[in-house]
Amino acid sequence: MGAPKQKWTAEEEAALKAGVRKHGTGKWRTILSDPEFSAILHSRSNVDLKDKWRNINVTAIWGSRQKAKLALKKTSLTPKLDGRTPVIPKHDGRTPVTPKQDGRTQMTPKHDDNTIALSTAPQNDEVVDAKPLAISSGTMQASGSKEPVARLDKLILEAISNLKEPNGSDRASIASYIEVLPLVCKDRYFYFADTINELIKVQSACNALYHGDFLISLLLQKIYSLLPLF
Amino acid sequence: MGAPKQKWTAEEEAALKAGVRKHGTGKWRTILSDPEFSAILHSRSNVDLKDKWRNINVTAIWGSRQKAKLALKKTSLTPKLDGRTPVIPKHDGRTPVTPKQDGRTQMTPKHDDNTIALSTAPQNDEVVDAKPLAISSGTMQASGSKEPVARLDKLILEAISNLKEPNGSDRASIASYIEVLPLVCKDRYFYFADTINELIKVQSACNALYHGDFLISLLLQKIYSLLPLF
DNA sequence: CGGTAGGGCTAGGGTTCT
DNA sequence: TAGAACCCTAGCCCTACC
């Protein structure tokens, strides 16, 4: 009787996504204060936003895993690196070794010591040969973890495979799948918005090649080129 | 995130408590400068100390009146006393309208009498035999979540090891460490049995480090008194 | 500036409800 | 049972006030 449980409406969810797109994740209060969204989200708290965003991502991850049954296309660029040391975003026994830097200057995104270092780096789109590296993987955290979060490249492949349609998938479908990225890349300030924009661009440009290996290659290239940005 | 959140270790917490005992509250900078604690707390700022102290007190106060967590387990043994804590003006991150109101009932106060003051006078704790702990037995919870309990055994070990003294640690020292337990165990009564088991194991394994059953009894007793209902 | 007190916020684990 | 919505709180950050 106390809490009726307010279900999120499509409008609210859209506003949330737009808000994240505009201000970034973790800026719940900011989003809520933005007059552009405050009207729609007036009955939500910053915590609600955070929780909802989490649910959205969790769902996305699971969705992709569920459909993972589909055999991946044997593409020429099938990543073959396995047994890679998973990156673990969690910090367990962090010993007090690092004094916190006080001069809180710019938020220079710093890599964690245990993140993968992508040496490729440049956001140059001219990358021709998609040579997937072990992007991050990172386990879903010990407890109850069945499997490590799918590798980024696998997720992409999975998405492409599953979305495969006679005449190609539409933008929304792709985006739906790609939404999984923020989760995979979180902790690195890899913003969802940028990814989506970029991917959609790629898609538009290669609409004809849709689910051929070539497109996959392009997508992967794109993803990889974006990763070093954080 | 630049700063991954440094969780306070039992050692740090103990140092903080000792520092407050020695210099008083509000003397964060002083505590930090005290060579006795500076080593342990070197990665903390005076503000951190202040915040941690606040958290400790808040949880301590609330811990006593904490809601009686469901005893769960279909095992009838314990009557399922369910209740909500009367919500008090606590300002968490939520600021929105809060259309939600939940007037739940108060819990049935069994007996909330913990909050033992270990820092000062020793209470007449009659050494009780570590037998009455056979409370909820079954909850083995075997595989799976072992994480939530946060390694109670390690804490104990840590305490005993660190407090190790030529002739054994005195009551105050032990108590200082044990104080941390309620924080770890709170709201997780269902793990209590496991906890006890862990303690017993520790007792067997580290027999040389403490004063035998006598001390363990004290520990158990203390834990017992700190855990609300049962 | 340096320090403390106190309000506020987010992240993440938990819990409740459906 | 899973998923969505909601709760709890540790650790930090921000601002006001000396």
Side-chain angles (χ1 to χ4, degrees):
Chain A
M1 42 182 62
K5 283 232 178 195
Q6 270 190 300
K7 286 223 155 232
W8 277 70
T9 65
E11 187 182 24
E12 288 176 315
E13 195 171 320
L16 171 59
K17 289 182 179 178
V20 170
R21 200 188 176 82
K22 181 175 181 180
H23 300 285
T25 60
K27 301 297 181 186
W28 316 118
R29 171 63 45 176
T30 306
I31 294 173
L32 220 48
S33 304
D34 189 325
E36 188 180 336
F37 314 114
S38 58
I40 297 173
L41 300 172
H42 71 93
S43 69
R44 302 293 176 179
S45 73
N46 49 334
V47 175
D48 290 333
L49 263 51
K50 181 264 298 176
D51 285 331
K52 181 56 181 177
W53 185 252
R54 175 169 53 174
N55 279 339
I56 290 173
N57 288 332
V58 165
T59 300
I61 263 286
W62 259 88
S64 69
R65 255 177 57 59
Q66 280 185 327
K67 306 172 202 162
K69 58 183 62 172
L70 230 174
L72 297 178
K73 301 178 62 158
K74 34 107 181 200
T75 64
S76 56
L77 47 73
T78 299
K80 57 170 290 299
L81 333 96
D82 36 53
R84 244 342 193 285
T85 327
V87 175
I88 302 175
K90 290 281 194 177
H91 301 274
D92 298 347
R94 243 182 91 68
T95 25
V97 177
T98 53
K100 345 172 123 153
Q101 75 320 26
D102 356 3
R104 146 190 30 282
T105 55
Q106 188 61 334
M107 184 165 73
T108 315
K110 61 196 251 174
H111 281 149
D112 236 13
D113 39 348
N114 54 5
T115 53
I116 22 61
L118 278 181
S119 49
T120 49
Q123 51 273 76
N124 181 351
D125 296 334
E126 314 293 32
V127 184
V128 178
D129 187 5
K131 199 174 295 178
L133 311 165
I135 294 300
S136 105
S137 67
T139 57
M140 257 323 222
Q141 191 39 302
S143 65
S145 161
K146 293 87 178 176
E147 290 180 13
V149 171
R151 287 220 322 251
L152 184 54
D153 48 6
K154 283 195 174 180
L155 284 177
I156 301 299
L157 282 170
E158 200 178 299
I160 299 295
S161 298
N162 285 303
L163 291 175
K164 181 170 55 183
E165 295 173 292
N167 298 312
S169 306
D170 64 335
R171 174 177 307 182
S173 299
I174 293 286
S176 172
Y177 256 103
I178 302 305
E179 277 185 341
V180 97
L181 289 177
L183 215 174
V184 173
C185 303
K186 83 179 193 173
D187 284 348
R188 254 161 273 181
Y189 287 121
F190 185 47
Y191 290 139
F192 160 74
D194 295 336
T195 307
I196 290 298
N197 286 334
E198 294 305 314
L199 284 173
I200 289 177
K201 255 188 279 181
V202 172
Q203 181 187 341
S204 299
C206 310
N207 202 45
L209 303 170
Y210 237 53
H211 29 71
D213 290 348
F214 186 62
L215 177 55
I216 292 173
S217 177
L218 283 178
L219 286 171
L220 287 173
Q221 280 176 37
K222 193 40 128 184
I223 297 294
Y224 292 143
S225 70
L226 285 170
L227 280 173
L229 291 179
F230 43 82
Chain B
M1 248 136 264
K5 265 211 178 180
Q6 263 190 295
K7 296 213 71 158
W8 278 70
T9 65
E11 189 180 20
E12 287 176 316
E13 195 171 320
L16 171 58
K17 289 180 180 178
V20 170
R21 268 204 290 278
K22 182 174 182 180
H23 300 286
T25 62
K27 302 298 180 187
W28 315 119
R29 175 60 56 181
T30 306
I31 293 172
L32 220 47
S33 304
D34 188 325
E36 187 180 337
F37 313 114
S38 57
I40 296 173
L41 300 173
H42 74 95
S43 70
R44 302 294 177 178
S45 73
N46 51 332
V47 176
D48 291 332
L49 264 51
K50 181 263 296 176
D51 285 329
K52 181 57 181 177
W53 186 251
R54 174 169 55 174
N55 281 337
I56 290 174
N57 289 331
V58 168
T59 55
I61 292 172
W62 269 78
S64 61
R65 301 202 150 22
Q66 211 32 287
K67 54 217 166 166
K69 257 327 192 209
L70 39 246
L72 69 235
K73 247 35 183 177
K74 44 288 215 84
T75 60
S76 55
L77 281 184
T78 46
K80 186 170 302 180
L81 23 86
D82 191 5
R84 269 343 221 147
T85 41
V87 178
I88 61 161
K90 174 91 185 269
H91 213 129
D92 54 332
R94 324 172 57 101
T95 20
V97 269
T98 315
K100 283 174 194 131
Q101 228 292 41
D102 97 12
R104 304 287 179 87
T105 57
Q106 275 75 350
M107 60 171 263
T108 48
K110 282 273 286 299
H111 74 275
D112 26 27
D113 59 342
N114 47 32
T115 28
I116 355 13
L118 319 118
S119 48
T120 55
Q123 318 191 311
N124 43 342
D125 21 36
E126 337 184 27
V127 181
V128 183
D129 189 72
K131 216 174 339 196
L133 334 159
I135 311 176
S136 73
S137 40
T139 57
M140 277 312 267
Q141 193 72 23
S143 59
S145 62
K146 217 173 179 74
E147 182 123 58
V149 183
R151 312 278 32 143
L152 180 57
D153 51 335
K154 282 191 177 173
L155 282 177
I156 301 297
L157 266 174
E158 189 182 319
I160 294 174
S161 299
N162 285 310
L163 294 174
K164 183 169 55 183
E165 297 172 83
N167 297 313
S169 306
D170 65 334
R171 178 178 305 175
S173 300
I174 295 287
S176 173
Y177 258 102
I178 298 307
E179 267 188 316
V180 91
L181 290 179
L183 290 177
V184 175
C185 306
K186 72 175 176 176
D187 293 353
R188 299 188 204 288
Y189 307 133
F190 35 94
Y191 285 111
F192 193 64
D194 288 346
T195 295
I196 294 300
N197 286 334
E198 293 298 336
L199 278 174
I200 301 295
K201 265 190 278 182
V202 172
Q203 176 181 3
S204 305
C206 313
N207 203 44
L209 295 175
Y210 58 86
H211 300 304
D213 294 345
F214 159 67
L215 181 52
I216 272 296
S217 290
L218 283 180
L219 291 174
L220 292 174
Q221 198 181 325
K222 183 59 74 183
I223 293 171
Y224 232 41
S225 67
L226 288 170
L227 285 170
L229 338 166
F230 251 130

